[in-house]
Amino acid sequence: MRLLVLGGTWFLGREVVRGGLRRGWDVTTFNRGQSAPDAPGTIPIHGDRTSSDDLSRLARSGPWDAVIDTSSSDLPPRDVLLATQALHDQAARWVHISTVSVYEGWPHDPLTEDSPRLKCPPDADETYGYTGADGSPTEYGFQKAGGERAVSDVFNSRAVFLRPGVILGPGEYVGRLPWWLSRAYRGGRILAPAPAERRIQPVDVRDVAHFALDQAADSTSGAYNVAHPEGITFEDFVTACLEVTEGAGRPVWTPESHLVEHKVRQWTELPLWRTHAGVWAVDSAKAVAAGLRCRPVRETIADTWAWLRSDGRPIAHPRWAKHGIDPEKEAKILTSGADRTQ
């Protein structure tokens, strides 16, 4: 099996590469060579995927049985289209890492793969789309929907789309789970979003990588929502963070109305918290039927803490700084009625 990974040096891309090598595949990576070293055992090709010349040079190293694109999250559709056109004759199939944000109803409505998607042309630039007043839909969602359209238009039945919600695990660069772990380790009274029994569906990066590789080796096509089928309650999530860090903290489960009143930014100041009903109502039954297997979220939490404690250093990314509530703001909320728990 000859595999081309667009990206391949950090988080999901790195896990895809590791998994492909463990399977005995010939793995080529294509990236700029700036974020992190290429994994030993790969065939690294450095270049800019937004450059026609670099993509033409890459294509001359083909063919490949499959491409797994892990590096298009910050690219406009036209750049995704450029890569698919350049590699059309050199790849038998294309596995595209997308997002649940492509759905019109996210995060308000429960989602299946048949839910309506946002509309965006395949050659749109970075200015296409908008973010709604309540944070949905998002410009990011429009852009990713256009990226899917670009892949579909070129690869048609040779394309597979994976639509994760939140990916956690060792190597995370966004900072969601690392913040909760650090906060648990610091201890004290911890501002936590009620209801404690709310279930969340984060999926481990290693499980997403394994499923992507399975799809690269398969012959089917279509789209899959990639979310944890069982998930974990927020209470068990915070408890697990406290247990693995041995933090002497106590969560204070605070009504959403109180958090909103104090202008706590959803999704970032308390990572993974959002009031919208559909944010954690993603049906992944189709992916499970196709072979998606998700380890317990507690295992993801423990392994991420072990990575951090072993001097784990995520790739520098601006999203990291956006996550986590300022300690002074948290303390103020905790002393202003946060004990009116649900």
Side-chain angles (χ1 to χ4, degrees):
M1 178 80 175
R2 298 195 74 217
L3 175 69
L4 169 63
V5 180
L6 300 183
T9 59
W10 49 301
F11 202 39
L12 178 57
R14 181 182 62 182
E15 293 299 332
V16 167
V17 167
R18 288 174 173 173
L21 292 172
R22 283 195 296 268
R23 296 183 187 209
W25 296 359
D26 293 328
V27 180
T28 300
T29 56
F30 181 69
N31 54 67
R32 293 175 299 171
Q34 298 177 0
S35 297
D38 296 288
T42 61
I43 304 168
I45 300 176
H46 291 160
D48 186 341
R49 62 173 293 168
T50 67
S51 164
S52 296
D53 291 341
D54 286 357
L55 287 169
S56 295
R57 175 169 52 84
L58 170 65
R60 290 194 291 272
S61 296
W64 295 277
D65 298 298
V67 173
I68 300 181
D69 186 357
T70 69
S71 68
S72 66
S73 61
D74 296 324
L75 294 177
R78 66 179 181 186
D79 287 332
V80 177
L81 183 63
L82 187 68
T84 58
Q85 290 172 333
L87 299 173
H88 173 264
D89 294 329
Q90 297 299 320
R93 67 196 271 103
W94 188 287
V95 179
H96 193 71
I97 308 301
S98 187
T99 170
V100 294
S101 295
V102 300
Y103 291 112
E104 288 182 3
W106 193 87
H108 301 280
D109 305 323
L111 298 174
T112 72
E113 288 83 359
D114 294 327
S115 299
R117 284 173 290 149
L118 297 169
K119 294 177 174 57
C120 177
D123 57 351
D125 64 17
E126 63 277 0
T127 66
Y128 192 93
Y130 63 92
T131 296
D134 69 342
S136 64
T138 62
E139 182 178 296
Y140 172 74
F142 280 103
Q143 294 278 313
K144 292 295 282 184
E148 283 196 12
R149 173 77 181 279
V151 175
S152 180
D153 281 3
V154 175
F155 276 81
N156 302 300
S157 62
R158 297 185 289 141
V160 180
F161 302 97
L162 306 190
R163 296 172 183 154
V166 170
I167 304 176
L168 303 178
E172 185 196 336
Y173 64 91
V174 176
R176 295 181 176 112
L177 179 50
W179 182 83
W180 277 109
L181 287 164
S182 298
R183 182 62 191 88
Y185 181 70
R186 181 157 57 90
R189 298 169 74 227
I190 300 172
L191 188 66
E197 64 272 17
R198 174 195 279 115
R199 298 197 76 83
I200 60 177
Q201 296 177 280
V203 62
D204 191 289
V205 62
R206 295 162 292 186
D207 298 331
V208 179
H210 187 87
F211 187 60
L213 290 164
D214 284 350
Q215 293 307 306
D218 206 342
S219 59
T220 58
S221 61
Y224 298 94
N225 293 334
V226 184
H228 203 294
E230 291 87 28
I232 189 172
T233 67
F234 224 116
E235 181 176 25
D236 286 346
F237 175 84
V238 175
T239 298
C241 289
L242 287 165
E243 289 176 350
V244 303
T245 62
E246 299 181 344
R250 178 175 70 86
V252 179
W253 296 100
T254 305
E256 292 182 339
S257 59
H258 197 67
L259 298 175
V260 171
E261 177 185 343
H262 283 269
K263 296 181 172 57
V264 177
R265 291 194 306 275
Q266 299 184 38
W267 212 231
T268 53
E269 283 193 300
L270 289 181
L272 307 180
W273 167 65
R274 200 162 182 173
T275 59
H276 303 81
V279 66
W280 297 116
V282 179
D283 186 348
S284 59
K286 181 181 176 184
V288 170
L292 173 66
R293 298 293 179 265
C294 293
R295 70 197 68 203
V297 179
R298 284 176 173 269
E299 183 178 330
T300 302
I301 293 169
D303 290 351
T304 302
W305 180 242
W307 165 70
L308 289 169
R309 295 293 283 175
S310 64
D311 202 27
R313 297 181 182 276
I315 297 297
H317 196 280
R319 292 178 69 183
W320 186 281
K322 297 178 181 179
H323 288 83
I325 190 168
D326 180 81
E328 291 186 6
K329 181 175 180 178
E330 180 186 26
K332 181 179 179 180
I333 296 172
L334 287 167
T335 56
S336 65
D339 278 320
R340 298 178 298 176
T341 56
Q342 292 182 340

